[in-house]
Amino acid sequence: MLTLKELMTQALQNSANCDNTQNPLNPVFELFRGKWKNQVLFEIIALKNARFGQLAKAIPTITNTMLSSTLRELEKDGLITRTQFNEIPPHVEYAITTKGQDLLAVYYEMYKWSVKYNLN
């Protein structure tokens, strides 16, 4: 079995040779394709259980249509769950899954990188 360093070296060599079919990161890149996925996911992690209106308020530049679409994709990807409450008034809550929660370490590293290069 290859080490992580060997896998990364192989992926970089394949990309340099214009062969991205063997890149082990392709599924990850595909998972996060889209303008809003990371930000919506991060807001759900921060809020624990988030309602649509809370997310719309947290990300004021996203349209309702795009937020709905992004939430459906994140649910399909297994990163969030959607729970519908049949109460009066009815409402829906979105929560992070274990798979999604495991990305918190990735976001932490991205934050450290942002601070290091003064991107905030």
Side-chain angles (χ1 to χ4, degrees):
M1 181 166 188
L2 296 175
T3 67
L4 180 59
K5 186 174 181 176
E6 291 168 334
L7 284 171
M8 289 298 295
T9 300
Q10 182 181 9
L12 290 169
Q13 286 174 334
N14 288 339
S15 289
N17 295 326
C18 298
D19 179 14
N20 284 323
T21 59
Q22 300 299 315
N23 185 344
L25 289 174
N26 279 347
V28 177
F29 295 151
E30 187 62 35
L31 189 68
F32 292 110
R33 190 172 310 262
K35 180 177 179 180
W36 298 105
K37 276 185 159 182
N38 277 299
Q39 191 169 0
V40 170
L41 188 60
F42 184 80
E43 294 299 336
I44 294 171
I45 289 172
L47 293 167
K48 307 285 190 258
N49 291 317
R51 292 187 181 190
F52 188 91
Q54 288 175 300
L55 292 169
K57 193 179 291 186
I59 312 168
T61 53
I62 193 171
T63 65
N64 287 346
T65 303
M66 186 53 69
L67 180 54
S68 293
S69 173
T70 302
L71 289 166
R72 280 193 300 275
E73 289 178 26
L74 290 170
E75 184 182 13
K76 179 182 70 85
D77 295 336
L79 299 173
I80 64 170
T81 59
R82 179 184 187 274
T83 305
Q84 185 168 336
F85 295 89
N86 296 322
E87 304 169 342
I88 305 292
H91 69 277
V92 173
E93 286 185 357
Y94 299 93
I96 198 73
T97 63
T98 302
K99 181 179 176 182
Q101 187 70 38
D102 286 346
L103 289 169
L104 193 54
V106 175
Y107 288 127
Y108 177 69
E109 292 301 321
M110 290 169 63
Y111 174 76
K112 286 187 346 188
W113 181 83
S114 171
V115 170
K116 179 179 179 178
Y117 292 102
N118 201 22
L119 298 178
N120 43 339

